[in-house]
Amino acid sequence: MAGVAPQRSGPAPQELELPGGKSGFRNWLDRQAWRDIIIAVPYIWLILFFVAPFIIIIAMSLAKSVIAQPPFKFDETWPYVTFENFERLFSDYVYLRGYLTSLRNALIATALCLLLGYPMALGIARAKGVWRNILLLLVILPFWTSFLLRVYAWIGMMGSNSWFNRGLTSLINVFLPAASEINSVPMMNSNFAVILVVVYSYLPFMILPLFANLEKLDYTLNEAAMDLGSRPMQVFRDVTLPLSIPGIVAGCLLVFIPATGELVIPSLVGNAGDPMIGRVINDEFSLNRHWPMASTIAVALLMLLVVPIMLYNRMQEKASEGVK
Amino acid sequence: MGIENTGKAWENPTTAPFIRIESVTKKFSDFIAVNNVSLDIYKGELFALLGGSGCGKTTLLRMLSGFESPTEGRVWIDGQDMTSVPPYERPVNMMFQSYALFPHMTVEQNVGYGLKHEKLTAAQRKDRVKQMLDLVQLSQFAGRKPHQLSGGQRQRVALARALSKQPKVLLLDEPLGALDKKLREHTQFEIMNIQEKTGITFVVVTHDQEEAMTLSTRIAVMDKGVIRQTGTPTEIYEFPKTKFVADFIGSINQFAGTVKSVTRDKATIACADWGGEIDVSRDASVDVGHNVSVAIRPEKISINKKAPAKGLNAVEGKVIDLGYFGKDSLYRVKLPSSALVRVNRVNDQRGRETERVAQWEDKVWLSFEPSAAILLKD
């Protein structure tokens, strides 16, 4: 219509319809299908790589172990499944002990990560401009080297002839009477070694969610508390700490859950006589070739971890409903 | 209002100031936020620090609250040197611009937070919280969390919290900034009432001149880290001392000119933009030949079709713009010198558009009393 005086009369302009005169299919695609496809992608991913394998594992946990390929078999008569693996899980002390060791190591490691990570996250969140970026980079930097390499480095450091161990030994000997001086600190192949390396490896997973939470906190709230008479420590207790609980929970879950099922670290530096549950699963699966038992332990572990998380989520939902 | 209460303490040389800001300078690395400011504020005042963004008013307020410490100079409150006292030990409380209510605490807990540090029994504390909530009429919301309140209610919780410790001085940072127009007016009067009831000295920071004018007993107009003028709202509006203050508060017409003659109570200024001479009374402390500015508020100018009486400053011009606001109208009149003059006229007569004093393109006479003009020397 450019250059021509617009006509006031005549039929209503056709621009009301979608330009280009799209077919019904294209229309449907644009209005509905793309949105559905985008939503569907993560669901398909989850079904393929989480739900389906998990169902297979559950099914396997209800089967019997046989010497065949594959090494498990379902009953041929009703009810086709057996609970003997679960019975064994609760009757054989090896498994219970594995869970307990895992939970204890993971709990201690999570607590240490929180104690170490919180001040670091707070420091980074309060740092100014460039410093903040540099500090964040330093937290993430270890990820640039192979995880295994870093665990092997710790093995070297903890060995009785390393500079680390010798330094630690002479430091401890300062406080010990001459008669009971030690030659080295027995660190390797112990739960202490597992916790140490877990704390080292998982610390960034504690720091990052805490930082994300603390960084968002409004500093004027701290000023308001100070203005109302609170000293810096009281301000922390009354304002910063309660408002960072979501960050604390997120960080603790991110450390605790993988730490409980950790396989590599306890296999490399842990005590084989007191194994964590990840190692037990691995042994059942590859040494004993008892796939149903390995599956059973894994299912039980998942229940152990998922139930508290779901409870926590319910609690959070109720709390937020309560205030609305 | 506070003016009657205090009996204009600032005019009485024997009254000691309650807050004394003594040649205070605040530098942030290279930037000078507050430059050698001295200011006395008296007990029971509702004092406003007025200025645009970056003028240093908030920095000055933060030095009163203790969040910033002056690079140079001292701050005294009630006879005590507060310069290096931390915020948690000052008898001063602040109402933050964002209100800064604790989101994880109820209204009651927010208001009672500061009382934890007072030596009060649980019953006394509860009593005080109730008293504060009654004062701001929020008693029935005591159990709510801040996000369940409206903006106006949050503002009142913030006010109650800041007042709960019965501070010697209450600092308010843009107290009405986040409220809509109707609520502002209401809250404005509420703040004034509360100030009167409690007798606490209020220091308000604002960029809104209307807010400063209605709220305060006195105003300090700030610009680029210095105070340009301190005075009552009337002094600031009707007797601005500098071009900056005249321009910042309300709108104003300014004409540059040269002093032609001075008598005992009248100065005559030759203004090319006005197209003639302007008589200015009240202030004749100028010398012949000096360059000055004559400033005149838009509402002090009359607009008429007929030529005005003798003795007034008058000129003829043409209406080029007309804005109708309901209660008043704004005319922009072009003078023969092509200078533009803003004229406000109250619409005190009911009538249709055709019954207006003047229409677009109409020839009109503008006139004002010699006493209405302000002589600015800088």
Side-chain angles (χ1 to χ4, degrees), chain B residues 104-115:
Chain B
H104 56 301
M105 298 185 195
T106 62
V107 168
E108 207 169 9
Q109 288 167 332
N110 263 289
V111 175
Y113 183 79
L115 300 176

Side-chain angles (χ1 to χ4, degrees), chain A residues 213-253:
Chain A
N213 174 282
L214 290 167
E215 181 218 27
K216 270 187 288 173
L217 294 188
D218 182 4
Y219 192 72
T220 36
L221 293 180
N222 294 38
E223 288 190 339
M226 219 182 280
D227 183 68
L228 290 163
S230 291
R231 282 152 194 287
M233 271 316 283
Q234 293 166 323
V235 173
F236 175 76
R237 189 195 61 202
D238 295 342
V239 178
T240 310
L241 192 60
L243 288 177
S244 62
I245 285 173
I248 295 177
V249 171
C252 286
L253 288 179

Side-chain angles (χ1 to χ4, degrees), chain A residues 121-194:
Chain A
L122 193 62
I124 298 172
R126 297 270 165 89
K128 295 220 162 40
V130 189
W131 267 110
R132 172 186 289 198
N133 292 338
I134 292 173
L135 291 170
L136 265 183
L137 188 73
L138 288 178
V139 170
I140 308 167
L141 210 58
F143 289 130
W144 293 7
T145 15
S146 152
F147 166 68
L148 268 182
L149 215 62
R150 285 180 284 134
V151 177
Y152 279 118
W154 272 109
I155 293 176
M157 294 236 291
M158 287 187 292
S160 44
N161 283 320
S162 72
W163 61 266
F164 180 69
N165 201 327
R166 272 182 287 158
L168 207 62
T169 308
S170 46
L171 194 71
I172 290 172
N173 282 339
V174 171
F175 301 99
L176 288 179
S180 51
E181 270 188 7
I182 50 173
N183 292 324
S184 66
V185 186
M187 280 186 281
M188 269 302 288
N189 302 323
S190 67
N191 281 316
F192 168 80
V194 174

Side-chain angles (χ1 to χ4, degrees), chain B residues 29-221:
Chain B
S29 55
D30 284 344
F31 176 69
I32 302 173
V34 172
N35 193 356
N36 196 16
V37 163
S38 292
L39 185 64
D40 287 345
I41 299 173
Y42 294 85
K43 200 173 165 63
E45 269 202 271
L46 211 167
F47 194 92
L49 294 168
L50 176 64
S53 59
C55 72
K57 58 188 194 299
T58 302
T59 309
L60 198 58
L61 194 78
R62 288 173 65 82
M63 285 193 280
L64 284 176
S65 64
F67 296 129
E68 308 284 357
S69 52
T71 316
E72 279 163 51
R74 332 218 111 244
V75 175
W76 301 77
I77 294 172
D78 196 15
Q80 279 178 296
D81 187 352
M82 286 286 153
T83 316
S84 51
V85 176
Y88 42 87
E89 279 167 10
R90 293 196 183 201
V92 169
N93 283 123
M94 176 142 156
M95 197 184 108
F96 291 80
Q97 184 175 11
S98 60
Y99 309 147
L101 299 178
F102 304 124
H104 56 301
M105 298 185 195
T106 62
V107 168
E108 207 169 9
Q109 288 167 332
N110 263 289
V111 175
Y113 183 79
L115 300 176
K116 290 203 307 184
H117 308 291
E118 310 259 291
K119 287 190 186 76
L120 293 174
T121 64
Q124 282 172 318
R125 202 171 301 155
K126 226 178 152 190
D127 231 43
R128 181 86 69 83
V129 171
K130 198 185 159 298
Q131 194 187 325
M132 285 300 134
L133 289 177
D134 284 344
L135 184 71
V136 295
Q137 297 152 32
L138 278 176
S139 306
Q140 70 267 45
F141 297 104
R144 294 229 188 148
K145 291 265 179 79
H147 67 93
Q148 296 167 292
L149 302 175
S150 71
Q153 288 166 335
R154 270 180 237 168
Q155 195 259 7
R156 269 143 59 201
V157 176
L159 186 61
R161 187 179 68 178
L163 284 169
S164 66
K165 294 187 74 174
Q166 301 176 338
K168 287 180 178 171
V169 179
L170 183 73
L171 308 172
L172 302 102
D173 191 1
E174 305 273 359
L176 309 176
L179 304 179
D180 61 57
K181 200 166 185 252
K182 279 256 156 82
L183 204 54
R184 289 171 81 107
E185 210 162 277
H186 177 80
T187 314
Q188 209 159 283
F189 286 110
E190 208 168 64
I191 289 179
M192 282 157 69
N193 280 335
I194 287 173
Q195 197 273 333
E196 201 178 343
K197 260 188 225 168
T198 56
I200 294 170
T201 308
F202 279 32
V203 180
V204 180
V205 150
T206 179
H207 70 276
D208 182 333
Q209 36 137 329
E210 216 172 292
E211 189 176 311
M213 301 278 268
T214 38
L215 270 178
S216 44
T217 52
R218 282 195 305 154
I219 298 173
V221 181

